[in-house]
Amino acid sequence: MAAGAPPDALGRRLSCGTDYGTVRYVGSVSGTTGIWLGVEWDDPQRGKHDGSYEGTQYFKCRHPKGGSFIRPNKANFGVDFLTAVKDRYGLNDKQDVQYGTGNTVVFGTKTVEFVGMDSVAEQQRQLNKLVDISVRECAVSHAGQEEEISRTCANMRHINLSKNLISSWEIIIAIASQVQNLETLNVSENKMRFPSTSTFTSSAFPNLKILALNQTEITWTEVLLCAQGWPVLEELYLSSNNITVLERPDNVLQTLKLLDLSDNQLLDGNQLHLIAQLPRLEQLILRNTGISSIRFPDAEFGCKTKMFPLLKRLAINDNKISQWSSINELDKLPSLRALQCNNNPFMDTEKNPETLIQLIIAKISQLEVLNNCEILPAERRGAELDYRKIFGKDWLEAGGHWNPEKNKPSEEFLAAHPRYPTLCLKYGAPEEGELKGRQPLTLKNQLLTLTIKCPEKPEQKPVEKKLPESMTIQKVKGLLYRLLKIPGSELKLSYESSKVS
């Protein structure tokens, strides 16, 4: 093979300038001389064709304009992990070490103090002091010589390997197996191959708690295969991948507390039932997954589902949920405390944004945070009282009644408003005067009618005055004194409710 192209070039990742791609063909091209690399680019705008040239198909691309040919000497196939670390932290033999003041030396952006730096070996030993290492966009493509990482960077716990030239999960294993106490690993934006057989096993991640695999083209089946090697994983980030179908994670991911599936086209909300038994899951991120509904059919309204038993935080923003019934369903989650649901069609059914927020709060009883805003107790009380008023007429027309013996709202009403009976028990059924439906909060709608009667003159017509609802009793007495010249101590005030018994 020509110089510049490694013997295992086929399938490898490469960069050319600022562009990234995968080698799909190595060889000659008809009508030309020398060796060419057929590349499928991550950005199809960089390509020119689908892998064919003058009628001959040399390789295939997912995008009709995603491929092109380049010479091997134009390709950067990357460096080993330790070379990238030395470059990043200023310890490469080819680079000058920046000396600070006194007994200090600067490694990239980090200043380390020590005594007796007489050799490059002494400098490199300082890498052992680094716990958090980032080699993002440093063209890492392979692990390097065996055990070299463990000898040089023994104390690493957090590694950022995102956007490099890693072409397979085996390379990640080769690096991680040399880092005994690895807790956090970010390998996002590396389009790589993953194991596809059930015989795959790995013990390279015994202490890994946080793993980011965004934009790696991993499927859920591949996640479950690799997850056998993540015995204590707590956070898993899988956004923007090829995940369209879920499977039950039997005997894996049982320690998971956070799962991010955003920007994967799941489409069917029932897919969530397959991961609903993750015993420790507290946060689920489903932003832009195309789901149009959420259902927990194992529980009736007013009851709690056995699915997602510890789920506290749920993000379903930027989806296609059009029915309020999905919001009703969320009240079945026993531990739900925080919800993000912006940019869903159901939110367009209510023009007033404040009313929209009130409806969501009233429908989900245990919610404490909505779209990153804390729900104060007074706000919840107001939302529930208003919800009870707004749908009071519908409740009556559906068979509701103030008399408990006659209160038999229809199944249709209860399906649409499953929390309504609970709110009536909490605050009492809405009074007749409250059953006017939704009205704008104009001053007219906030006034009470004060009827003034004089017992000494029963033949005299009562006087009516409109008063603000917020007016105190003391001020009412002052007003009456000015009108009737009767001291407040001699006034008898009574309030008549329009509620029907």
Side-chain angles (χ1 to χ4, degrees):
M1 191 171 290
D8 61 344
L10 193 63
R12 291 257 318 250
R13 297 281 291 162
L14 60 75
S15 64
C16 183
T18 59
D19 295 300
Y20 288 72
T22 304
V23 179
R24 302 298 186 197
Y25 173 79
V26 180
S28 59
V29 174
S30 178
T32 68
T33 58
I35 297 296
W36 292 88
L37 301 177
V39 180
E40 181 178 11
W41 300 103
D42 294 357
D43 179 7
Q45 301 297 321
R46 170 68 171 79
K48 296 180 179 179
H49 50 69
D50 64 351
S52 61
Y53 179 72
E54 292 189 350
T56 301
Q57 188 87 44
Y58 292 91
F59 62 98
K60 292 183 179 180
C61 289
R62 282 170 289 188
H63 193 278
K65 295 274 186 182
S68 65
F69 293 100
I70 64 170
R71 292 295 190 181
N73 62 356
K74 298 286 186 182
N76 175 15
F77 283 97
V79 298
D80 66 87
F81 176 78
L82 202 54
T83 296
V85 171
K86 290 177 180 179
D87 287 348
R88 170 68 179 79
Y89 292 94
L91 284 171
N92 195 305
D93 296 349
K94 299 175 184 177
Q95 297 183 350
D96 293 330
V97 176
Q98 302 175 39
Y99 290 91
T101 58
N103 295 321
T104 66
V105 63
V106 179
F107 299 109
T109 59
K110 296 181 183 291
T111 301
V112 179
E113 185 175 347
F114 58 93
V115 179
M117 185 187 69
D118 297 320
S119 65
V120 172
E122 182 65 30
Q123 298 169 29
Q124 291 181 354
R125 277 198 286 274
Q126 300 311 306
L127 282 171
N128 272 320
K129 295 184 178 182
L130 293 178
V131 172
D132 190 334
I133 286 182
S134 174
V135 285
R136 174 177 170 82
E137 289 191 88
C138 290
V140 177
S141 62
H142 55 289
Q145 294 181 8
E146 193 171 349
E147 301 306 320
E148 190 177 15
I149 296 172
S150 58
R151 286 196 303 269
T152 313
C153 304
N155 292 309
M156 286 189 297
R157 292 190 178 183
H158 313 284
I159 301 177
N160 184 348
L161 266 166
S162 60
K163 203 169 185 180
N164 279 289
L165 301 176
I166 297 166
S167 55
S168 74
W169 183 246
E170 281 78 6
I171 294 170
I172 300 296
I173 291 173
I175 295 171
S177 61
Q178 300 182 56
V179 186
Q180 186 175 359
N181 296 311
L182 183 62
E183 295 178 10
T184 305
L185 178 61
N186 184 353
V187 293
S188 300
E189 298 174 80
N190 288 286
K191 296 184 185 298
M192 52 183 148
R193 298 183 302 276
F194 291 90
S196 57
T197 63
S198 57
T199 57
F200 170 78
T201 57
S202 170
S203 57
F205 310 97
N207 300 303
L208 189 65
K209 293 182 179 179
I210 301 173
L211 175 61
L213 286 164
N214 305 321
Q215 298 181 52
T216 56
E217 300 194 340
I218 195 169
T219 66
W220 185 251
T221 301
E222 291 165 346
V223 167
L224 297 186
L225 286 173
C226 294
Q228 298 173 62
W230 310 331
V232 296
L233 193 68
E234 295 181 359
E235 299 183 14
L236 179 57
Y237 299 86
L238 296 169
S239 71
S240 303
N241 281 303
N242 288 333
I243 298 173
T244 56
V245 178
L246 300 179
E247 301 171 42
R248 294 186 188 280
D250 296 327
N251 303 317
V252 293
L253 303 179
Q254 300 299 295
T255 57
L256 207 60
K257 294 182 179 180
L258 181 152
L259 177 60
D260 182 0
L261 290 168
S262 57
D263 297 303
N264 290 285
Q265 290 306 296
L266 296 176
L267 301 177
D268 182 3
N270 291 332
Q271 288 281 321
L272 302 180
H273 299 166
L274 297 170
I275 58 169
Q277 302 306 323
L278 288 171
R280 299 186 189 178
L281 191 66
E282 296 180 1
Q283 184 168 354
L284 180 59
I285 305 170
L286 299 170
R287 180 182 56 81
N288 189 32
T289 51
I291 59 175
S292 57
S293 66
I294 296 175
R295 291 179 62 250
F296 302 112
D298 67 315
E300 297 292 330
F301 285 117
C303 302
K304 298 301 181 184
T305 177
K306 293 181 180 179
M307 300 185 190
F308 299 106
L310 295 185
L311 189 65
K312 295 179 181 177
R313 297 178 292 279
L314 175 64
I316 52 171
N317 36 324
D318 301 303
N319 277 296
K320 298 178 181 178
I321 297 171
S322 59
Q323 301 296 323
W324 280 96
S325 57
S326 291
I327 304 303
N328 293 337
E329 290 283 329
L330 296 180
D331 188 51
K332 296 179 180 180
L333 291 169
S335 304
L336 187 65
R337 297 293 182 272
L339 175 68
Q340 292 183 33
C341 59
N342 282 326
N343 300 324
N344 276 285
F346 81 88
M347 301 188 77
D348 299 332
T349 62
E350 180 53 58
K351 294 181 181 179
N352 187 330
E354 290 185 11
T355 303
L356 178 73
I357 290 170
Q358 285 186 318
L359 292 176
I360 298 171
I361 292 172
K363 283 176 174 288
I364 306 175
S365 59
Q366 299 174 100
L367 210 58
E368 297 173 356
V369 179
L370 176 59
N371 296 326
N372 296 319
C373 295
E374 183 183 359
I375 301 168
L376 300 174
E379 187 178 11
R380 169 161 292 286
R381 176 180 171 81
E384 292 179 342
L385 284 170
D386 282 354
Y387 184 87
R388 176 179 138 275
K389 294 176 186 178
I390 288 171
F391 296 101
K393 275 191 172 180
D394 295 345
W395 170 68
L396 279 177
E397 291 171 2
H401 200 277
W402 293 286
N403 185 338
E405 294 180 3
K406 299 180 180 179
N407 181 29
K408 296 179 180 179
S410 66
E411 290 296 322
E412 290 79 9
F413 178 84
L414 293 176
H417 307 284
R419 285 208 72 218
Y420 201 88
T422 303
L423 296 179
C424 286
L425 287 173
K426 186 175 181 179
Y427 301 108
E431 299 180 1
E432 189 176 24
E434 298 175 307
L435 304 182
K436 295 181 179 178
R438 309 183 196 200
Q439 296 187 35
L441 292 176
T442 61
L443 180 60
K444 180 181 177 183
N445 292 325
Q446 298 179 66
L447 297 179
L448 295 174
T449 302
L450 174 66
T451 305
I452 305 168
K453 298 178 183 179
C454 184
E456 288 79 13
K457 299 178 182 178
E459 73 281 356
Q460 186 173 325
K461 188 177 180 181
V463 178
E464 291 190 352
K465 295 284 291 182
K466 294 285 187 180
L467 302 178
E469 193 173 355
S470 58
M471 198 169 187
T472 64
I473 295 295
Q474 203 60 41
K475 288 185 177 181
V476 171
K477 287 185 175 182
L479 173 66
L480 291 173
Y481 176 74
R482 291 193 299 273
L483 289 172
L484 305 174
K485 305 304 180 189
I486 300 174
S489 59
E490 298 179 17
L491 287 172
K492 182 180 180 182
L493 300 180
S494 63
Y495 171 72
E496 288 187 12
S497 169
S498 55
K499 181 176 178 179
V500 178
S501 58

